[in-house]
């Protein structure tokens, strides 16, 4: 008998996997059981590292096969072969695999199993649930005679809570694997929605509510989804067949080449996106019980495009070079900048090799894709409508389309709309489906991906853009070009610094907020659960004026009531998100707007938000206070309370005199005396009370490790930049650029100036001045003063002031329009007198923008003339993205063109951002000054962020409010001043004018575009003079005030035009067919007086004078106004100003 050879571990392991594969293949007429999978997973866990290569399957592959066989994962992990010691580790490995397979429901199930099997405490175990906002849901009985009202969580909030619940389960099983949890955090909201709808539909069917009678919105949506995905799958196949036919057979035009877009997303996702988006758009655009067809087509097309790109982004798990260490060269050294550029180039090249990306879809493609899926939805989506037959008394049911297409007239135009069936619209009124919250809008659990390109950075599995722009092809192209040239490395580095700041939820604040929220009370700017203000009452015998006032108050009351509900929902989001992230370290990825201002991408809970959001967040890193840090913490508390106009010593004294109140607030925030509740920023004030109390009651207050952010805020920062640009000594004193013993308050100063003006007007008997005397406070004028530098108009100022006046009880029933009109003029006049330097610079920026917006390249002169000839057709429709000129791209303001597009639903007119369109010179001019100042404060912030990173400081910012640890405030204050001086020592306006002159050196302005009286006056005031010949001076009488005769050199270029062209242009300019004949008719008429005759004569002369301007151009650089003369203030003086930022 032959002796058996001894078996090694390798041999036994191989045989075990062979046996498993035999079961899996079905060759043994047997199938693996849950116990089989438990055994195989356990063998993976226990196999030594040196033998792992012998295991042909991974956790991911085994889990995939378990799901294919639809085995309950709980049965697998609870099998008897798995010990209590192996269970937790095995669940972690399977959870990682579930994340890789994009199966969030399995992660949740494993988390539940882990929670039941482990005794390890989770931070949320002792935290109460958040009381959700509830909506009243009214249901009718079958015969329609009775109504019952129940409470229900709104759809979007319910969706968020379910998603956050999955994240909480993931934390239980993957507490240390932040990368896997981050991937789960970014998974698409559509996956969550599918599982929820499917689960609820199954429950309804199980309890016998699966018939068509009595269905709710969610069940309808699930039915539509199951039918639509099948219909879309068939439709895509039919389109592919049609497109394969020869052209002579005649495929339908609207379907040409659509399959390449429709196959990008699975039918299941196409179906759900269509349903979710059309429900979200209900009631939008001023259409009740429906939406505009164009809005629906574009919106759904864009959503499908975004989902495809998100899916593509998930495939690219790209490893990027690490961030710069503080020991390396600074950002502003040549070597430091070179390192930034090399890091980005290497990472970008790696991305190009592994990222399958696509160009943006056109509006035409979006509308046609949207039209196709909506057409399919309208075909398959049905609802059952019931009514009581009055003749028979029986309930009659009928299946009807859920959506239908029709037309309505608005403002004299025929408008295509998609309407909801009446029964669906009524149900929607009870369950408002607003924008569903995408998980990518949550803070991150790991440091954001470093920015290495315009669309490469921030989130790991979802597309993020470095700049926010609204469908601006020009801005996107400009950013890509600048990025390719290596000109935005410091911008990318600054975004990385802002995003790398770690945060945590302040649990003490959260506990108080949650208690107040669940009680339903309104406290600390938290809106109450029940809006208690009674409805206004109309007097019995009201006069017309009283009735008008009543209607106004009723409208305001209804709006405030709706706002209260909206605020409750908003706060509910914040609290739910904060609860789910308790105990975790958070990161806020940032991007920019086109001005350079940085914003956190997660919108619902970030430090740039309201007082509640800021109070809930604190730095994850702690640093010892030290003597200076403790002083700054006290100053910070005084600022938050509202005592911020005193000097620093007085602020410290203010806090020290109220330590008893502060300690009471910290120990009994809700049951004590509530000193913190009276603060300007109550939740931030309470957070600082907690921090100061802990520090002062510790063994060594100076050694206490603090994590409370402390702020340094600019004093009306826009005016600070204007004063520095213009060297305005008087303005600099008012905004704390110049040193002073006490902080200046520009708002109080302006209010006092207005009061002096009111006293003068009272003497002349002005009724508005009489009513307002001694009533103008700092608060009334603050917003107008703050926004003046950002281009607020008289109308905007009047509206701002009217809002403040209505808040004063004494003026509640007064003529607020009259009072606000008077006060707006007074405030704007005082600001102009106080900040004359700022006004000069603002006028210079506006005038420069007006001229540039009217300028065109020299090579376009013939085309510019042809624009007067309406018979000429534009040959090209699109500007190639790679050939876009850089001119006039400072701001994204253009006159949009509409284009006709045929879709399956209707012919629509869309505004396509890809179409070449004319610059909107008015918007461009009015927006340029505030945008330029915003870009300066953004630059100052970025420079400060980079320098803080180099010096090892934690840094966060809210535009002109800079945050760091209390112990580092002095160091950050030095950095803020140094970067501000560096910025304004570089002759900003002079360099800007040089850039204008270089960029637009060959640009011409048609003289016909300079005929405006206001423009000519502005040019004259700024000192612009145009050299012309004597003959030209005689012809150009309209521009007489800015002309200088110089026969040796003329700045005006003339282009030959035919007499026919001139006559055509003349008609365009004047609107008169034949001046001489019309004038004769006027003379012969005895019905018109001499004044009317003179008016006609003047119009004729003006038209002839304007005709002389046609065909003539002036070089832009010859009329570009000089930079306003700078005053005597020197920016270096801010080093001596302790209240510059405070």
């Amino acid at each position: 008998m032959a002796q058996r050879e001894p078996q090694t571990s390798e041999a036994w392991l191989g045989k075990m996997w062979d046996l498993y594969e035999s079961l899996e293949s079905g060759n043994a007429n047997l199938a693996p059981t849950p116990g089989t999978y438990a055994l195989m997973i356990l063998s993976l866990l226990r196999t030594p590292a040196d033998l792992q290569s012998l295991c042909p399957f991974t956790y991911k592959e085994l889990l995939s096969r378990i799901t294919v066989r639809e085995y309950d994962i709980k049965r697998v992990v609870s099998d008897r072969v798995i010990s209590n010691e192996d269970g937790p580790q095995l669940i972690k490995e399977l959870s990682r695999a579930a994340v890789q397979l994009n199966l969030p429901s399995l992660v949740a199930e494993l988390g539940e199993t882990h929670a039941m099997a482990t005794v390890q405490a989770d931070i949320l175990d002792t935290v109460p649930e958040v009381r959700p906002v509830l909506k009243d849901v009214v249901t009718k009985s079958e015969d329609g005679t009775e109504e019952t009202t129940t409470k229900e969580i709104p759809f979007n909030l319910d969706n968020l809570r379910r998603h956050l619940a999955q994240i909480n389960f993931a934390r239980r099983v993957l507490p240390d694997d932040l990368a896997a949890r981050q991937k789960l955090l970014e998974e698409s909201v559509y996956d969550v929605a599918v599982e929820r709808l499917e689960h609820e539909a199954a429950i309804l069917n199980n309890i016998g509510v699966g018939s068509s009678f009595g269905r709710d919105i969610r069940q309808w949506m699930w039915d539509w989804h199951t039918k639509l995905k099948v219909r879309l799958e068939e439709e895509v196949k039919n389109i592919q067949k049609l497109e394969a036919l020869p052209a002579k057979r005649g495929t339908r035009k609207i379907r040409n080449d659509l399959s390449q877009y429709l196959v990008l997303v699975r039918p299941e996702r196409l179906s759900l996106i269509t349903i979710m988006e059309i429900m979200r758009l209900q009631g939008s655009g001023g259409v009740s019980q429906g939406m505009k067809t164009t809005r629906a087509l574009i919106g759904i097309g864009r959503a499908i495009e975004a989902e495809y790109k998100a899916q593509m982004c998930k495939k690219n798990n790209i490893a990027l070079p690490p961030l710069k260490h503080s020991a390396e060269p600074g950002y502003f050294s040549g070597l430091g900048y070179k390192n930034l550029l090399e890091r980005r180039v290497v990472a970008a090249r790696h991305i190009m090799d592994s990222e399958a990306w696509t160009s943006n879809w056109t509006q035409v493609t979006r509308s046609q894709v949207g039209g196709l899926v909506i057409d399919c939805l309208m075909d398959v989506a049905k609802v059952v409508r019931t009514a009581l037959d009055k003749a028979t008394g029986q309930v009659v049911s009928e299946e009807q389309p859920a959506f239908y297409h029709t037309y309505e007239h608005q403002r004299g135009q025929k408008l295509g709309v998609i309407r909801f069936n009446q029964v669906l619209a009524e149900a929607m009124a009870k369950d408002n489906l607003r924008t569903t919250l995408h998980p990518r809008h949550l803070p991150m659990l790991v440091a954001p991906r470093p920015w290495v390109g315009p669309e490469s950075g921030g989130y790991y599995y979802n597309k993020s853009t470095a700049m926010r722009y609204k469908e601006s092809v020009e801005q996107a192209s400009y950013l890509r070009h600048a990025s390719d040239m290596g000109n935005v490395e410091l911008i990318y580095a600054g975004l990385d610094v802002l995003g790398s700041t770690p945060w945590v939820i302040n649990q003490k604040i959260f506990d108080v907020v949650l208690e107040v929220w669940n009680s339903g009370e309104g406290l600390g700017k938290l809106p109450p659960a029940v809006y208690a203000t009674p409805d206004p009452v109309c007097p019995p015998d009201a006069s017309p004026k009283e009735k008008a006032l009543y209607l106004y108050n009723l409208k305001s009351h209804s709006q405030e009531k709706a706002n209260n509900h909206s605020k409750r929902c908003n706060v509910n989001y914040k609290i739910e998100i904060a609860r789910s992230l308790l105990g975790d370290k958070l990161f806020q990825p940032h991007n920019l707007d086109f001005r350079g201002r940085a914003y956190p991408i997660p919108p619902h809970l970030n430090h740039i938000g309201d007082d509640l959001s800021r109070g809930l967040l604190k730095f994850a890193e702690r640093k010892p206070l030290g003597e200076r840090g403790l002083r700054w913490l006290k100053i910070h508390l005084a600022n938050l309370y509202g005592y911020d106009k005193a000097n620093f010593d007085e602020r410290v004294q203010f806090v020290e005199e109220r330590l008893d109140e502060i300690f009471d607030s910290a120990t009994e925030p809700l049951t004590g005396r509530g000193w913190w509740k009276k603060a300007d920023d109550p939740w931030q004030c309470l957070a600082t009370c907690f921090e100061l109390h802990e520090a002062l009651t510790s063994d060594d207050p100076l050694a206490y490790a603090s994590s409370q952010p402390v702020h340094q805020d600019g004093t009306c920062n826009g005016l600070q930049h204007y004063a520095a640009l213009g060297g305005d000594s008087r303005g600099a004193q008012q905004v704390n650029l110049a040193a002073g013993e006490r902080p200046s308050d520009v708002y109080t100063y302006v209010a006092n100036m207005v009061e002096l003006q009111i006293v003068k007007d009272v003497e002349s008997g002005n009724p508005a001045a009489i009513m307002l005397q001694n009533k103008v406070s700092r608060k009334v004028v603050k917003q107008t003063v703050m926004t003046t530098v950002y281009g607020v108009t008289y109308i905007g100022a009047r509206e701002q002031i009217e809002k403040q006046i209505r808040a004063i009880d004494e003026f509640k029933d007064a003529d607020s329009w009259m009072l606000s009109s008077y006060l707006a003029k007074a405030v704007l006049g005082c600001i102009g007198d106080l900040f004359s330097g700022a006004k000069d610079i603002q006028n210079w920026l506006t005038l420069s923008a007006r001229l540039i917006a009217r300028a065109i390249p020299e090579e376009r002169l013939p085309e510019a003339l042809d624009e007067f000839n309406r018979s000429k057709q534009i040959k090209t429709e699109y500007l190639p993205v790679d050939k876009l000129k850089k001119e006039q791209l400072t701001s994204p303001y253009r006159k949009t063109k509409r284009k006709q597009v045929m879709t399956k639903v209707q012919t629509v007119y869309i505004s396509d951002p890809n179409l070449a369109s004319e610059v909107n010179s008015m918007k461009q001019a009015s927006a340029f000054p505030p945008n330029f100042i915003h870009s300066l404060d953004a630059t100052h912030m970025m420079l400060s962020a980079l320098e803080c990173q180099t010096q090892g400081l934690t840094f966060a910012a809210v535009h002109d409010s800079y945050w760091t640890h209390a112990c580092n405030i002095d160091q950050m204050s030095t950095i803020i001043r140094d970067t501000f001086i560096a910025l304004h020592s570089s002759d900003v306006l002079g360099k800007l004018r040089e850039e204008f002159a270089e960029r637009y050196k060959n640009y011409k302005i048609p003289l016909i575009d300079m005929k405006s009286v206001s423009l000519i006056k502005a040019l004259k005031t700024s000192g612009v003079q145009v050299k012309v010949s004597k003959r030209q001076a005689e012809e150009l009488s309209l521009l007489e005030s800015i002309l200088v005769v110089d026969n040796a050199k003329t700045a005006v270029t003339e282009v030959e035009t035919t007499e026919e062209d001139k006559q055509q242009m003349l008609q365009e300019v004047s609107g008169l067919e034949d001046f001489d004949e019309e004038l004769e008719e006027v003379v012969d008429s005895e019905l018109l007086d001499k004044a009317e005759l003179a008016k006609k004569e003047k119009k004729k002369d003006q038209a002839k004078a304007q005709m002389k301007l046609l065909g003539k151009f002036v070089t832009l650089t010859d009329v570009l106004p000089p930079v306003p003369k700078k005053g005597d203030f020197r920016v270096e003086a801010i080093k001596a100003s302790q209240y510059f930022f405070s």
Side-chain angles (χ1 to χ4, degrees), residues 523-705:
L523 177 65
K525 298 184 181 180
L526 285 185
V530 178
Y531 188 68
T533 305
D535 294 346
V537 179
C538 184
D541 300 321
S543 65
K545 185 176 180 180
E546 290 174 329
K547 286 182 179 179
L549 182 63
Y550 161 73
L551 292 175
Y552 179 87
N553 291 335
L554 182 63
K555 182 179 179 180
S556 299
H557 178 271
S558 301
Q559 185 63 48
E560 289 169 5
K561 190 173 183 180
N563 288 343
N564 185 76
H565 177 76
S566 178
K567 290 177 183 176
R568 288 280 296 179
C569 292
N570 186 32
V571 172
N572 206 161
Y573 280 149
K574 291 179 172 63
I575 301 176
E576 289 283 4
I577 294 171
R579 183 181 185 277
S580 70
L581 298 175
L582 281 173
D584 281 326
K585 190 181 292 186
L586 315 177
F587 296 87
Q588 304 277 359
H590 283 63
N591 61 6
L592 308 162
D593 63 14
F594 71 93
R595 302 164 299 186
R597 279 195 153 190
Y599 301 85
I601 300 176
H604 294 285
L605 183 63
N606 59 61
H607 62 285
I608 211 170
D610 57 8
D611 173 54
L612 174 62
S613 298
R614 298 182 186 187
L616 284 170
L617 293 170
K618 62 180 182 177
F619 292 139
E621 183 182 2
R622 290 179 170 271
K623 290 187 178 182
L625 280 174
E627 184 177 350
R628 293 292 296 175
L630 183 59
R631 173 180 169 85
W632 276 114
L633 191 63
K634 293 176 181 177
I635 293 172
H636 180 58
L637 179 56
N639 291 343
L640 293 171
Y641 193 81
Y643 191 74
D644 56 351
K645 308 302 177 294
N647 63 39
F648 288 145
D649 291 336
E650 291 170 344
R651 296 183 214 182
V652 172
Q653 184 181 357
F654 172 84
V655 170
E656 290 177 345
E657 290 174 351
R658 290 161 179 77
L659 286 179
D660 183 52
E661 297 285 358
I662 293 167
F663 278 32
D664 174 74
S665 296
T667 54
E668 298 181 75
L670 296 179
T671 57
R673 295 187 292 276
W675 175 81
W676 66 277
K677 300 175 185 177
K678 305 179 186 70
D680 286 354
D681 298 302
W683 294 113
Q684 293 177 82
C685 178
L686 180 59
T688 311
C689 288
F690 283 139
E691 195 81 353
L692 186 60
H693 174 262
E694 286 192 17
L696 295 179
T697 56
S698 65
D699 295 336
D700 184 359
L702 301 186
Y704 174 77

Side-chain angles (χ1 to χ4, degrees), residues 251-258 293-294 297-298 362-373 375 405 407 877-878 898-910 912:
T251 57
R252 295 177 65 181
K253 183 177 180 181
I254 66 168
R255 292 190 174 183
N256 281 347
D257 302 323
L258 281 188
T293 305
T294 305
L297 303 187
I298 298 295
T362 65
Q363 292 285 66
V364 174
T365 299
R366 290 171 183 159
S367 61
Q368 290 185 337
V369 169
L372 182 71
V373 295
D375 181 62
H405 176 258
Y407 292 91
E877 210 170 33
Y878 289 94
R898 297 205 306 165
K899 181 180 180 181
Q900 183 179 8
V901 179
M902 297 288 295
T903 72
K904 280 274 289 181
V905 180
Q906 72 168 61
T907 299
V908 296
Y909 290 87
I910 59 174
D912 196 330

Side-chain angles (χ1 to χ4, degrees), residues 931-952:
N931 287 343
F932 180 71
I933 296 300
H934 278 311
S935 72
L936 286 182
D937 72 47
T939 302
H940 181 217
M941 188 275 290
M942 281 291 188
L943 294 174
S944 301
L946 292 170
E947 189 58 30
C948 285
Q949 168 80 359
T950 301
Q951 297 188 24

Side-chain angles (χ1 to χ4, degrees), residues 754-755 757-776 780 794 798 801 805 808 810-811 814-826:
V754 172
E755 280 287 359
Q757 180 64 44
I758 289 176
V759 170
K760 295 179 181 179
D761 292 339
V762 166
E763 295 175 357
S764 61
N766 188 305
I770 294 172
M771 294 180 67
L772 289 168
Q773 190 172 18
N774 299 323
K775 302 293 192 309
V776 179
V780 171
Y794 164 73
R798 193 202 64 74
I801 292 173
I805 288 177
I808 302 174
E810 186 176 345
F811 297 134
D815 188 346
S816 59
W817 194 94
M818 177 192 70
L819 298 178
S820 60
S821 299
Y822 166 80
L823 204 51
K825 292 178 183 177

